[in-house]
Amino acid sequence: MTAENEPRPTQHQTKPHKKRFRTLSNIDIASIYTPEQLTDDAARYRDSLPGQYPFLRGVHEDMYRGRLWTMRQFAGFGSAEETNRRYKYLLEHGETGLSVAFDYPTLYGYDTDQPLARGEFGKCGVAISSLEDMEILFHDIPLKDITTSMTINGPAAIVWAMYIANAENQGIPKHLLGGTIQNDILKEYIAQKSYIFPPEPSMRLIVDTFEYGFKQVPSWNTISISGYHIREAGSTAVQELAFTLADGLEYVKAAMARGLAIDDFAPRLSFFFNAHNDFFEEIAKYRAARRIWAKEIKNLGAKHPRSQWLRFHTQTAGCTLTAQQPEINITRVTLQALAAVLGGTQSLHTNSMDEALALPSEKAVKIALRTQQIIAEESGVINTADPLGGSYYVEWLTDTMEDETYKYFDRITKLGGVIPAIEKGFFQREIAESAYRYQKEIDEKQRVIVGVNRYQSNEAPSIPLLRIDEKGEERQIQRLQHLRKTRDQAKTDATLATLRKAAEGTENLMPSLLACIHSYATLGETCGVLRDVFGEYREPAIY
């Protein structure tokens, strides 16, 4: 036989190009999977169908054949006027839900003219200091016809009150409003750090929104329990899964301790996950999350199937975007978005290719939206529910991630629960160690990041970048000054005094917050009352 006719070496005869194959959570991966590697305990759930407990294969029987996921693009920059124009652009190009990013002063409950806020106007999101700003933000946008997601935590109840008040002023009944407030303060203590109040009053505010929501705004998701920022802070996929679900169960227990019936509020709980680079690990994460949540919420007494659903929004991983060769971020985002869809997400945001350099330009955000539309309309992955169900590897990895999650649950329980574990620095240390390990692997080229530690290019980025209007901050301050001069100050003072009295007691604060907002009290003024009553959180020294 001649050399050119000799058989090529088979795969098992070739030398592996890596010493170790593992997920981003450091789970070792075998070269092939068979039925023998699947656990007997998890197997009893594997034959369940989509729409059936424990919802491993999806919360809806027909999944995307019945309805596509909501296509969102996170947007918010500079002034309410600028962001309003971006929303209209996105809606014109096929977006089906809005997502609001707020600037850091807003996230911390400060008005734009507060000295601590100066220079931060509109840098990472839109500045919203009053009901007037909220009215401008959604001018000529039909609130009863779209859903809005707002990434806000410390002052979430106040900003939600602004949204509700704006709708009421337009004559739209509260029960017609749909959307989500993130409202996840435990994640802030763990990862993102945009907290305001200590844990106890923060949890009170969250339970207030649960109670007010199911009674007055029944189509609104009053919390989006967020693993996204835990992952962005450097956690593994397993840590994201475990810490997020632990937070969710803590909120449920807090609401039940208030006396709320679990089947009243649980159907409006939602989740927010990251879509990172390890394609199959991400899919397994979403599948495991549904199964764990269904079992745990049932154990707490939930009887209604909707209470047992884990419904979630997904955003592709901002931390994976590279400033080097930004165009190739389109490929990363496509793979991440595809994993989210195959994992059964109900809502999806795709990051833009330029976000490692600046807030996204119109061209970049349109490409990101078109990525979702191509997956939906051209890829064929929506044709059947959970198309990867039954894959030996996917099922094994789903089972493994569930097992690892319960190991974390045990550790958290031994520390006394979520809040004691936060106070002891447990979550923070776990995430810091994972982030360090991941970065070290990149620095030592044990993990390849295309364009960063391999396949580099010396070409400077040539894509257009968005520029923010530098004069927006002064215009915002002038608007605030005019608002304070023209509003009914006696009415504003009265509503703030009523809020103070309510905060000093035990009643639900949402009605008082709405009254303040309707009187055009600003975010900073309203939040200032709660700061006076509740105090501010100071993170303990843990390292």
Side-chain angles (χ1 to χ4, degrees), residues 89-163:
Y89 173 86
L90 290 167
L91 291 170
E92 288 168 2
H93 286 83
E95 179 167 290
T96 54
L98 299 177
S99 292
V100 188
F102 297 94
D103 71 358
Y104 264 95
T106 305
L107 293 176
Y108 283 103
Y110 292 125
D111 295 335
T112 299
D113 60 352
Q114 216 276 353
L116 290 172
R118 296 306 300 265
E120 292 296 327
F121 169 82
K123 293 292 177 64
C124 298
V126 63
I128 299 296
S129 298
S130 70
L131 175 56
E132 184 178 18
D133 292 334
M134 188 68 76
E135 291 166 341
I136 294 168
L137 182 66
F138 290 101
H139 181 65
D140 285 338
I141 293 175
L143 298 184
K144 69 179 186 302
D145 298 327
I146 56 102
T147 59
T148 302
S149 175
M150 296 186 285
T151 301
I152 192 83
N153 295 286
I158 303 170
V159 173
W160 188 38
M162 289 182 183
Y163 190 89

Side-chain angles (χ1 to χ4, degrees), residues 19 40 202 207 287 314 361 377:
K19 293 181 179 179
D40 293 336
S202 294
V207 177
R287 299 174 87 248
T314 311
S361 67
E377 304 293 350

